[in-house]
Amino acid sequence: MEVTQRNDEAKRFISTKLDQASKLTETDFEDLQDYYKLLTTLENLIQVNAKGFRGVVATAITGKYLDPNYDPLNDFYSCNPRSIFEQGIFYALEGRVPCGKSDPLNVAKNIYVLDEAWARGKRPQSAAQAAVDYLRFIESSAGDHQQKIIDFYFFKLHEYGKSIQNIVIQAPEEAGLSHQLFAWKLSSFVLDYPESGTIPQLVISILLNKVYEHSSIKVEGGDESVFGTNTTSKKPADIWLENEQGPFNLYEITVKKIDYKRLDDCIQSLDSVDMLGKPVHFICRLNKDIATLDTMNLSLTYKSKTFNFVDISVFIRSLATLLTSEQIITITNELAAFVGDIQRPIKTKEGWNHLFG
């Protein structure tokens, strides 16, 4: 089978399985041998924010469909997981189940054996172990029983996707929030539901874009900050401002500990793009995030480079005072749309509704 044909078949297989799952109910699987063990295993595997383990299992099942002799537990990579997932499975899952472009590679890159040693140390380890346990259920069965175990996975996967889609994302009913109430809600959302840094970077990017939308200053790096990394994209910072002369203010957005390793990484990144002379501002939680640094001040000179530290809540409140009421409404709607995407974790959605509903 040619590569393109194989990837198209992988996409068709997953799409068909999800379509079939939508017509089933839990009672269709209650006669399965080890039903309750399977149910617990699938819940540990599927009902988590981590997408990679669901991707590993979807890839393994698809690999077995394409080649009945494929052994995912002992030779996972022999099915060419990057190709069949990124060019096939991903497009079948997209919009139906939370997934990333390279899910299985994120947790099993260059891994051939899937077992306890692989699962150990993964986050969450319970999901990684569930992937191993579920694949063992498949490998130890055959015929119609094996097919029913596979169908159970797709039923729970479809059920999980629908549960996320059914969460209604709310927005304030009033015409607009007051500036400081809006800023307080936004700060609380950023600090309480950071989603591994995605939300703080997105919020700061949107605020800066709105502040400068009618000026000659450009806000760069926002999308890459949310969906990429500095190392791979050769960016000077998470977000930066540019005018006709080029970049002039660099912002690192974080709600995690800032240590000297982080400063070293920043210096290395700046040096790689010849921007060591540009001002760097860490937008973070003062003084919590800089507790391990030899400063409780708002700046620190390290290896001849000065770093500035700004409290993220204060920064958000300050930017809010520069917005129009119409811009606040626009920002709220933009964020509501982002949070409403199926890719956003349930915790993020519930946090948004708690604050803005």
Side-chain angles (χ1 to χ4, degrees):
M1 189 181 296
E2 294 184 356
V3 173
T4 300
Q5 182 184 359
R6 183 195 64 199
N7 295 340
D8 288 344
E9 186 62 18
K11 176 184 176 182
R12 187 201 64 78
F13 170 71
I14 296 292
S15 295
T16 299
K17 282 295 184 183
L18 288 173
D19 289 342
Q20 292 172 344
S22 68
K23 300 177 176 65
L24 300 173
T25 66
E26 190 81 37
T27 56
D28 291 312
F29 303 97
E30 290 178 351
D31 62 344
L32 271 170
Q33 183 180 352
D34 294 324
Y35 163 74
Y36 288 105
K37 287 184 179 178
L38 273 165
L39 178 62
T40 300
T41 299
L42 287 175
E43 287 176 346
N44 289 337
L45 168 67
I46 292 173
Q47 295 181 13
V48 294
N49 292 333
K51 305 166 187 173
F53 307 111
R54 295 192 294 266
V56 164
V57 169
T59 302
I61 291 173
T62 305
K64 287 189 70 65
Y65 167 74
L66 296 172
D67 177 8
N69 295 318
Y70 169 60
D71 180 2
L73 286 168
N74 296 298
D75 198 5
F76 177 69
Y77 254 74
S78 66
C79 75
N80 297 309
R82 178 185 292 278
S83 180
I84 65 171
F85 189 90
E86 293 184 352
Q87 303 303 321
I89 296 170
F90 168 78
Y91 294 105
L93 296 176
E94 189 179 26
R96 302 181 74 169
V97 180
C99 65
K101 187 66 175 179
S102 302
D103 285 349
L105 278 65
N106 290 337
V107 296
K109 187 174 183 179
N110 297 325
I111 296 296
Y112 288 84
V113 177
L114 302 178
D115 58 10
E116 281 75 11
W118 167 73
R120 194 175 301 119
K122 294 291 188 296
R123 298 177 58 187
Q125 184 172 326
S126 59
Q129 186 60 52
V132 173
D133 293 342
Y134 175 72
L135 291 177
R136 285 173 176 165
F137 274 116
I138 292 177
E139 292 298 289
S140 63
S141 60
D144 292 342
H145 184 240
Q146 183 185 73
Q147 190 57 54
K148 196 163 188 176
I149 291 175
I150 291 173
D151 288 343
F152 199 15
Y153 166 78
F154 285 103
F155 170 73
K156 300 306 288 188
L157 195 65
H158 174 267
E159 185 180 62
Y160 178 68
K162 292 301 293 183
S163 72
I164 294 178
Q165 291 174 352
N166 289 337
I167 297 176
V168 177
I169 301 303
Q170 303 171 19
E173 295 181 358
E174 57 266 34
L177 294 169
S178 71
H179 285 64
Q180 286 307 299
L181 180 57
F182 164 76
W184 176 83
K185 287 176 179 286
L186 209 51
S187 296
S188 298
F189 184 56
V190 162
L191 294 175
D192 296 342
Y193 308 94
E195 201 181 304
S196 300
T198 295
I199 299 302
Q201 292 182 15
L202 176 69
V203 166
I204 298 300
S205 174
I206 289 177
L207 288 172
L208 287 172
N209 269 288
K210 286 294 183 288
V211 167
Y212 290 108
E213 69 177 340
H214 299 302
S215 76
S216 60
I217 295 172
K218 295 181 180 179
V219 180
E220 302 288 355
D223 290 342
E224 293 85 353
S225 293
V226 175
F227 302 109
T229 64
N230 290 359
T231 303
T232 57
S233 60
K234 297 295 183 183
K235 301 191 306 101
D238 291 327
I239 300 170
W240 66 97
L241 303 182
E242 282 191 14
N243 56 21
E244 293 179 354
Q245 286 72 48
F248 64 91
N249 265 341
L250 312 179
Y251 299 99
E252 292 285 356
I253 318 298
T254 186
V255 288
K256 298 178 181 178
K257 179 181 70 174
I258 302 169
D259 54 17
Y260 288 103
K261 172 64 164 59
R262 178 71 185 269
L263 299 186
D264 284 328
D265 290 344
C266 184
I267 290 173
Q268 182 180 357
S269 178
L270 292 172
D271 187 45
S272 70
V273 292
D274 195 26
M275 290 194 190
L276 271 174
K278 304 298 180 182
V280 176
H281 309 273
F282 274 90
I283 313 301
C284 59
R285 299 169 299 180
L286 292 183
N287 289 306
K288 181 177 182 179
D289 292 336
I290 62 172
T292 62
L293 301 177
D294 296 327
T295 182
M296 282 294 113
N297 297 317
L298 301 182
S299 67
L300 169 69
T301 299
Y302 173 67
K303 294 185 177 180
S304 302
K305 176 63 185 173
T306 297
F307 297 93
N308 303 292
F309 304 101
V310 182
D311 184 78
I312 193 166
S313 294
V314 173
F315 194 66
I316 290 173
R317 291 199 301 269
S318 298
L319 290 178
T321 65
L322 303 175
L323 301 172
T324 66
S325 297
E326 290 74 17
Q327 285 176 319
I328 288 177
I329 295 172
T330 300
I331 291 171
T332 304
N333 290 335
E334 286 181 10
L335 288 172
F338 178 82
V339 172
D341 188 273
I342 193 172
Q343 300 287 29
R344 303 274 61 80
I346 291 176
K347 182 178 180 181
T348 302
K349 296 174 184 292
E350 292 176 345
W352 173 269
N353 282 343
H354 171 68
L355 289 164
F356 286 90

mmCIF file of all heavy atoms in Angstrom, residues 58-81:
data_model
loop_
_atom_site.group_PDB
_atom_site.id
_atom_site.type_symbol
_atom_site.label_atom_id
_atom_site.label_comp_id
_atom_site.label_asym_id
_atom_site.label_seq_id
_atom_site.Cartn_x
_atom_site.Cartn_y
_atom_site.Cartn_z
ATOM 1 N N ALA A 58 -4.862 5.177 19.544
ATOM 2 C CA ALA A 58 -5.509 5.305 18.229
ATOM 3 C C ALA A 58 -4.555 4.858 17.123
ATOM 4 O O ALA A 58 -4.964 4.195 16.161
ATOM 5 C CB ALA A 58 -5.945 6.751 18.008
ATOM 6 N N THR A 59 -3.289 5.209 17.264
ATOM 7 C CA THR A 59 -2.289 4.811 16.271
ATOM 8 C C THR A 59 -2.068 3.311 16.281
ATOM 9 O O THR A 59 -1.969 2.671 15.222
ATOM 10 C CB THR A 59 -0.957 5.540 16.543
ATOM 11 O OG1 THR A 59 -1.180 6.951 16.508
ATOM 12 C CG2 THR A 59 0.086 5.176 15.503
ATOM 13 N N ALA A 60 -1.981 2.732 17.489
ATOM 14 C CA ALA A 60 -1.767 1.289 17.600
ATOM 15 C C ALA A 60 -2.932 0.499 16.984
ATOM 16 O O ALA A 60 -2.722 -0.479 16.256
ATOM 17 C CB ALA A 60 -1.590 0.908 19.062
ATOM 18 N N ILE A 61 -4.152 0.936 17.276
ATOM 19 C CA ILE A 61 -5.324 0.243 16.731
ATOM 20 C C ILE A 61 -5.346 0.359 15.205
ATOM 21 O O ILE A 61 -5.627 -0.606 14.488
ATOM 22 C CB ILE A 61 -6.619 0.832 17.334
ATOM 23 C CG1 ILE A 61 -6.715 0.476 18.821
ATOM 24 C CG2 ILE A 61 -7.843 0.305 16.590
ATOM 25 C CD1 ILE A 61 -7.872 1.152 19.529
ATOM 26 N N THR A 62 -5.034 1.547 14.717
ATOM 27 C CA THR A 62 -5.010 1.752 13.264
ATOM 28 C C THR A 62 -3.908 0.926 12.621
ATOM 29 O O THR A 62 -4.091 0.361 11.539
ATOM 30 C CB THR A 62 -4.799 3.252 12.945
ATOM 31 O OG1 THR A 62 -5.798 4.023 13.601
ATOM 32 C CG2 THR A 62 -4.872 3.495 11.448
ATOM 33 N N GLY A 63 -2.758 0.846 13.299
ATOM 34 C CA GLY A 63 -1.669 0.032 12.781
ATOM 35 C C GLY A 63 -2.066 -1.433 12.643
ATOM 36 O O GLY A 63 -1.722 -2.106 11.656
ATOM 37 N N LYS A 64 -2.822 -1.929 13.624
ATOM 38 C CA LYS A 64 -3.291 -3.319 13.553
ATOM 39 C C LYS A 64 -4.316 -3.501 12.439
ATOM 40 O O LYS A 64 -4.372 -4.560 11.800
ATOM 41 C CB LYS A 64 -3.897 -3.743 14.895
ATOM 42 C CG LYS A 64 -2.867 -3.976 15.992
ATOM 43 C CD LYS A 64 -3.499 -4.594 17.231
ATOM 44 C CE LYS A 64 -3.915 -6.025 16.985
ATOM 45 N NZ LYS A 64 -2.769 -6.922 16.724
ATOM 46 N N TYR A 65 -5.124 -2.481 12.213
ATOM 47 C CA TYR A 65 -6.092 -2.557 11.115
ATOM 48 C C TYR A 65 -5.375 -2.630 9.764
ATOM 49 O O TYR A 65 -5.763 -3.414 8.887
ATOM 50 C CB TYR A 65 -7.015 -1.344 11.156
ATOM 51 C CG TYR A 65 -7.833 -1.151 9.906
ATOM 52 C CD1 TYR A 65 -8.916 -1.982 9.623
ATOM 53 C CD2 TYR A 65 -7.503 -0.141 8.995
ATOM 54 C CE1 TYR A 65 -9.658 -1.812 8.456
ATOM 55 C CE2 TYR A 65 -8.232 0.033 7.835
ATOM 56 C CZ TYR A 65 -9.311 -0.805 7.566
ATOM 57 O OH TYR A 65 -10.036 -0.633 6.420
ATOM 58 N N LEU A 66 -4.322 -1.821 9.617
ATOM 59 C CA LEU A 66 -3.582 -1.798 8.356
ATOM 60 C C LEU A 66 -2.722 -3.037 8.170
ATOM 61 O O LEU A 66 -2.487 -3.478 7.041
ATOM 62 C CB LEU A 66 -2.704 -0.541 8.292
ATOM 63 C CG LEU A 66 -3.446 0.800 8.282
ATOM 64 C CD1 LEU A 66 -2.462 1.955 8.423
ATOM 65 C CD2 LEU A 66 -4.272 0.957 7.010
ATOM 66 N N ASP A 67 -2.246 -3.615 9.295
ATOM 67 C CA ASP A 67 -1.395 -4.803 9.243
ATOM 68 C C ASP A 67 -1.724 -5.692 10.433
ATOM 69 O O ASP A 67 -1.285 -5.432 11.552
ATOM 70 C CB ASP A 67 0.078 -4.404 9.280
ATOM 71 C CG ASP A 67 1.021 -5.612 9.301
ATOM 72 O OD1 ASP A 67 0.530 -6.748 9.127
ATOM 73 O OD2 ASP A 67 2.233 -5.407 9.491
ATOM 74 N N PRO A 68 -2.492 -6.751 10.237
ATOM 75 C CA PRO A 68 -2.913 -7.627 11.347
ATOM 76 C C PRO A 68 -1.740 -8.227 12.128
ATOM 77 O O PRO A 68 -1.915 -8.648 13.271
ATOM 78 C CB PRO A 68 -3.715 -8.724 10.636
ATOM 79 C CG PRO A 68 -4.201 -8.081 9.381
ATOM 80 C CD PRO A 68 -3.101 -7.146 8.954
ATOM 81 N N ASN A 69 -0.549 -8.254 11.537
ATOM 82 C CA ASN A 69 0.623 -8.814 12.213
ATOM 83 C C ASN A 69 1.372 -7.773 13.051
ATOM 84 O O ASN A 69 2.353 -8.119 13.714
ATOM 85 C CB ASN A 69 1.581 -9.418 11.187
ATOM 86 C CG ASN A 69 0.973 -10.610 10.461
ATOM 87 O OD1 ASN A 69 0.319 -11.449 11.078
ATOM 88 N ND2 ASN A 69 1.177 -10.673 9.157
ATOM 89 N N TYR A 70 0.925 -6.550 13.012
ATOM 90 C CA TYR A 70 1.587 -5.476 13.749
ATOM 91 C C TYR A 70 1.466 -5.699 15.265
ATOM 92 O O TYR A 70 0.388 -6.037 15.767
ATOM 93 C CB TYR A 70 0.947 -4.142 13.356
ATOM 94 C CG TYR A 70 1.334 -2.958 14.208
ATOM 95 C CD1 TYR A 70 2.648 -2.541 14.317
ATOM 96 C CD2 TYR A 70 0.349 -2.227 14.882
ATOM 97 C CE1 TYR A 70 2.992 -1.435 15.080
ATOM 98 C CE2 TYR A 70 0.678 -1.118 15.645
ATOM 99 C CZ TYR A 70 1.998 -0.728 15.739
ATOM 100 O OH TYR A 70 2.336 0.367 16.502
ATOM 101 N N ASP A 71 2.571 -5.523 15.976
ATOM 102 C CA ASP A 71 2.621 -5.728 17.434
ATOM 103 C C ASP A 71 2.950 -4.390 18.112
ATOM 104 O O ASP A 71 4.126 -4.044 18.265
ATOM 105 C CB ASP A 71 3.682 -6.772 17.782
ATOM 106 C CG ASP A 71 3.785 -7.036 19.286
ATOM 107 O OD1 ASP A 71 3.005 -6.432 20.055
ATOM 108 O OD2 ASP A 71 4.652 -7.831 19.687
ATOM 109 N N PRO A 72 1.947 -3.623 18.515
ATOM 110 C CA PRO A 72 2.204 -2.280 19.043
ATOM 111 C C PRO A 72 2.948 -2.267 20.370
ATOM 112 O O PRO A 72 3.652 -1.300 20.671
ATOM 113 C CB PRO A 72 0.796 -1.691 19.204
ATOM 114 C CG PRO A 72 -0.099 -2.881 19.341
ATOM 115 C CD PRO A 72 0.508 -3.942 18.490
ATOM 116 N N LEU A 73 2.816 -3.308 21.173
ATOM 117 C CA LEU A 73 3.458 -3.327 22.484
ATOM 118 C C LEU A 73 4.965 -3.547 22.387
ATOM 119 O O LEU A 73 5.725 -3.029 23.216
ATOM 120 C CB LEU A 73 2.832 -4.411 23.367
ATOM 121 C CG LEU A 73 1.430 -4.092 23.908
ATOM 122 C CD1 LEU A 73 0.800 -5.337 24.513
ATOM 123 C CD2 LEU A 73 1.495 -2.979 24.951
ATOM 124 N N ASN A 74 5.413 -4.274 21.369
ATOM 125 C CA ASN A 74 6.832 -4.619 21.271
ATOM 126 C C ASN A 74 7.545 -3.972 20.089
ATOM 127 O O ASN A 74 8.777 -3.999 20.022
ATOM 128 C CB ASN A 74 6.989 -6.137 21.187
ATOM 129 C CG ASN A 74 6.513 -6.818 22.459
ATOM 130 O OD1 ASN A 74 7.054 -6.579 23.531
ATOM 131 N ND2 ASN A 74 5.489 -7.658 22.341
ATOM 132 N N ASP A 75 6.773 -3.394 19.175
ATOM 133 C CA ASP A 75 7.399 -2.762 18.008
ATOM 134 C C ASP A 75 6.521 -1.612 17.520
ATOM 135 O O ASP A 75 6.107 -1.570 16.367
ATOM 136 C CB ASP A 75 7.593 -3.795 16.894
ATOM 137 C CG ASP A 75 8.601 -3.332 15.852
ATOM 138 O OD1 ASP A 75 9.217 -2.261 16.055
ATOM 139 O OD2 ASP A 75 8.767 -4.036 14.844
ATOM 140 N N PHE A 76 6.245 -0.680 18.441
ATOM 141 C CA PHE A 76 5.284 0.386 18.161
ATOM 142 C C PHE A 76 5.618 1.152 16.888
ATOM 143 O O PHE A 76 4.742 1.480 16.097
ATOM 144 C CB PHE A 76 5.223 1.348 19.358
ATOM 145 C CG PHE A 76 4.311 2.531 19.148
ATOM 146 C CD1 PHE A 76 2.936 2.359 19.090
ATOM 147 C CD2 PHE A 76 4.820 3.813 19.001
ATOM 148 C CE1 PHE A 76 2.076 3.444 18.898
ATOM 149 C CE2 PHE A 76 3.981 4.898 18.802
ATOM 150 C CZ PHE A 76 2.607 4.715 18.752
ATOM 151 N N TYR A 77 6.879 1.438 16.648
ATOM 152 C CA TYR A 77 7.262 2.302 15.535
ATOM 153 C C TYR A 77 7.215 1.629 14.172
ATOM 154 O O TYR A 77 7.351 2.310 13.146
ATOM 155 C CB TYR A 77 8.657 2.884 15.791
ATOM 156 C CG TYR A 77 8.592 4.345 16.171
ATOM 157 C CD1 TYR A 77 8.147 4.727 17.425
ATOM 158 C CD2 TYR A 77 8.923 5.351 15.272
ATOM 159 C CE1 TYR A 77 8.049 6.058 17.783
ATOM 160 C CE2 TYR A 77 8.832 6.692 15.619
ATOM 161 C CZ TYR A 77 8.402 7.035 16.872
ATOM 162 O OH TYR A 77 8.291 8.360 17.219
ATOM 163 N N SER A 78 6.995 0.340 14.147
ATOM 164 C CA SER A 78 7.006 -0.339 12.853
ATOM 165 C C SER A 78 5.791 0.000 11.986
ATOM 166 O O SER A 78 5.752 -0.347 10.806
ATOM 167 C CB SER A 78 7.085 -1.857 13.049
ATOM 168 O OG SER A 78 5.917 -2.350 13.673
ATOM 169 N N CYS A 79 4.816 0.707 12.534
ATOM 170 C CA CYS A 79 3.639 1.098 11.739
ATOM 171 C C CYS A 79 3.800 2.490 11.138
ATOM 172 O O CYS A 79 2.850 3.024 10.550
ATOM 173 C CB CYS A 79 2.372 1.037 12.594
ATOM 174 S SG CYS A 79 2.207 2.403 13.776
ATOM 175 N N ASN A 80 5.000 3.093 11.293
ATOM 176 C CA ASN A 80 5.222 4.475 10.842
ATOM 177 C C ASN A 80 4.212 5.434 11.476
ATOM 178 O O ASN A 80 3.412 6.074 10.793
ATOM 179 C CB ASN A 80 5.133 4.575 9.314
ATOM 180 C CG ASN A 80 6.207 3.752 8.623
ATOM 181 O OD1 ASN A 80 7.381 3.860 8.945
ATOM 182 N ND2 ASN A 80 5.793 2.902 7.690
ATOM 183 N N PRO A 81 4.240 5.532 12.827
ATOM 184 C CA PRO A 81 3.203 6.289 13.540
ATOM 185 C C PRO A 81 3.137 7.762 13.158
ATOM 186 O O PRO A 81 2.047 8.328 13.117
ATOM 187 C CB PRO A 81 3.592 6.114 15.011
ATOM 188 C CG PRO A 81 5.028 5.723 15.011
ATOM 189 C CD PRO A 81 5.220 4.929 13.759
#
